[in-house]
Amino acid sequence: MSGNGGLRIGIFVFDGAEELDVVGPFEVFAEWGSHSQVRPTVSTFSWDGSGVRLAKGLRILPAHGADDVGPLHVLVYPGGLGTRPLLAEPGHLEWLRQIRRQTPIMASVCTGALPLAAAGLLAGRPATTHHEHYDELTDLDPSVLVDTEARYVDDGDVVTSAGVSAGIDMALHLVERLETTAVARSVRNAIQHPPTALGAPGPGTGPGI
Amino acid sequence: MSGNGGLRIGIFVFDGAEELDVVGPFEVFAEWGSHSQVRPTVSTFSWDGSGVRLAKGLRILPAHGADDVGPLHVLVYPGGLGTRPLLAEPGHLEWLRQIRRQTPIMASVCTGALPLAAAGLLAGRPATTHHEHYDELTDLDPSVLVDTEARYVDDGDVVTSAGVSAGIDMALHLVERLETTAVARSVRNAIQHPPTALGAPGPGTGPGI
């Protein structure tokens, strides 16, 4: 599926995406590459491949555009105020539904759950988002089963996390699920993320690492 | 000291700086701006103002160069493999010593402590770094009092943190110290950083938030 045959992760970036929503999972997945037998690679991509200005002003240049990022095993959708214009764009939601059909795992951080809900991808499913935005999620789709306790919710092919720094814990959980607890522990150790920060996992998750 | 008279924080970025070392503190300090009476602003700057490629491939465009970032109240020096060429450059170390004389707080994340040590700024002082690099720190300056337990060490005008994600906790500690515990709690709540992640503070620190 990729150049090196390994597991491919793409993080979608856009104007107004929250900085740590993007970089927390990026750090975890990139570090994973140094500890792994499944040869994961992580890259960022924006809609048209051009640079973006994140929610608090950090400017980044993504590696790809949506047209050339290629097939992914995991797509990470970050949150931030920049999600609001996107969830109101029918063309963007159709793109999300199309990507969803060919991507084994769709993952969101923080209010990244909102565009997934607007696209109908969370209908009738357990999910979470930033703790100040639960109502916004159910306004978009009242059938979403909002988990207000979990730091992340793993519902198999859709994984959502709570706000901002919770994306780090969700990413470590995915490393555990997609490889092993031992590898996830190595990654956590390398980035000195405290075990106590892993919080309560959502339904469908294994023991915390 | 700045355009809005507020507290100015600069994060030095360079090729090979570790992604989360940069963005963890950036997120905390930028969020602080929404909760604060001291009007903090945070910006990134590279040596010459041009874009940098971080340790795991993320490319960012800083807001400034070292020549135009202006006076700072806090300078944050991230870690990453890119610190090694810098700590071997006498001109860079001289710049650090000069900046140190005019900057009230010098803060490092992870192996960002190494260039500070190479510049002589940690001589005889308590400090910490990434847990796999304690020896490298004392090789550079045997007089550094390495704290192998603390998540961050606040020694007044020099504050160092342990590896990667510990920069988030150090930044929250600085918000507490430079404003109030209540404001630091608001920032922590906004980024959903768990209280349990704050870890054991080093000498000279107040109660954990």
Side-chain angles (χ1 to χ4, degrees), chain A residues 1 15 18 37 39 59 64 70 73 75 93 104 107 116 130 142 146 155 161 168 178 180 186 189 206:
Chain A
M1 201 173 193
D15 286 333
E18 189 70 22
Q37 301 300 311
R39 301 186 309 287
R59 292 176 300 164
H64 300 284
H73 296 89
L75 186 147
L93 302 184
L116 300 191
H130 189 282
V146 179
D155 195 38
S161 89
I168 297 172
L178 297 171
T180 64
S186 297
N189 191 47

Side-chain angles (χ1 to χ4, degrees), chain A residues 1-18:
Chain A
M1 201 173 193
S2 74
N4 71 353
L7 189 142
R8 300 187 71 246
I9 302 157
I11 302 179
F12 179 57
V13 295
F14 48 88
D15 286 333
E18 189 70 22

Side-chain angles (χ1 to χ4, degrees), chain B residues 34-81:
Chain B
S34 307
H35 302 261
S36 174
Q37 301 301 312
V38 301
R39 301 187 307 286
T41 55
V42 57
S43 58
T44 53
F45 69 102
S46 67
W47 184 251
D48 61 1
S50 60
V52 296
R53 188 182 190 280
L54 301 181
K56 284 159 175 159
L58 192 71
R59 292 176 299 163
I60 68 173
L61 296 173
H64 300 284
D67 282 348
D68 71 325
V69 68
L72 299 170
H73 296 89
V74 181
L75 185 148
V76 178
Y77 203 118
L81 282 175

Side-chain angles (χ1 to χ4, degrees), chain A residues 141-195:
Chain A
D141 183 346
S143 77
V144 178
L145 306 168
V146 179
D147 188 328
T148 60
E149 299 293 327
R151 195 145 173 83
Y152 51 83
V153 175
D154 182 341
D155 195 38
D157 53 353
V158 175
V159 182
T160 53
S161 89
V164 196
S165 74
I168 297 172
D169 302 311
M170 181 184 76
L172 284 167
H173 164 72
L174 285 172
V175 173
E176 179 180 34
R177 170 178 150 185
L178 297 171
E179 195 157 7
T180 64
T181 299
V183 168
R185 282 188 176 137
S186 297
V187 173
R188 189 185 67 195
N189 191 47
I191 67 165
Q192 285 200 242
H193 195 62

Side-chain angles (χ1 to χ4, degrees), chain A residues 10-64:
Chain A
I11 302 179
F12 179 57
V13 295
F14 48 88
D15 286 333
E18 189 70 22
E19 278 79 350
L20 191 56
D21 291 19
V22 172
V23 177
F26 184 92
E27 178 74 42
V28 169
F29 291 131
E31 181 64 34
W32 184 17
S34 308
H35 301 263
S36 175
Q37 301 300 311
V38 303
R39 301 186 309 287
T41 54
V42 57
S43 58
T44 53
F45 70 103
S46 66
W47 184 251
D48 62 1
S50 59
V52 296
R53 187 181 189 279
L54 300 182
K56 284 160 174 158
L58 193 71
R59 292 176 300 164
I60 68 171
L61 296 173
H64 300 284

Side-chain angles (χ1 to χ4, degrees), chain A residues 98-152:
Chain A
Q98 182 189 324
I99 287 285
R100 204 269 151 277
R101 288 191 286 273
Q102 62 200 48
T103 307
I105 298 175
M106 299 285 279
S108 67
V109 180
C110 195
T111 51
L114 301 178
L116 300 191
L121 306 185
L122 302 182
R125 308 185 69 151
T128 195
T129 187
H130 189 282
H131 65 93
E132 290 163 359
H133 299 276
Y134 297 139
D135 289 350
E136 219 172 332
L137 187 56
T138 50
D139 284 350
L140 286 164
D141 183 346
S143 77
V144 178
L145 306 168
V146 179
D147 188 328
T148 60
E149 299 293 327
R151 195 145 173 83
Y152 51 83

Side-chain angles (χ1 to χ4, degrees), chain B residues 122-138:
Chain B
L122 303 181
R125 306 185 72 150
T128 194
T129 187
H130 189 282
H131 65 93
E132 291 164 357
H133 300 275
Y134 297 139
D135 289 350
E136 217 171 334
L137 187 57
T138 50

Side-chain angles (χ1 to χ4, degrees), chain B residues 99-126:
Chain B
I99 286 287
R100 204 270 151 276
R101 286 191 287 271
Q102 61 200 50
T103 307
I105 298 176
M106 299 285 280
S108 66
V109 181
C110 195
T111 52
L114 301 178
L116 300 191
L121 305 185
L122 303 181
R125 306 185 72 150

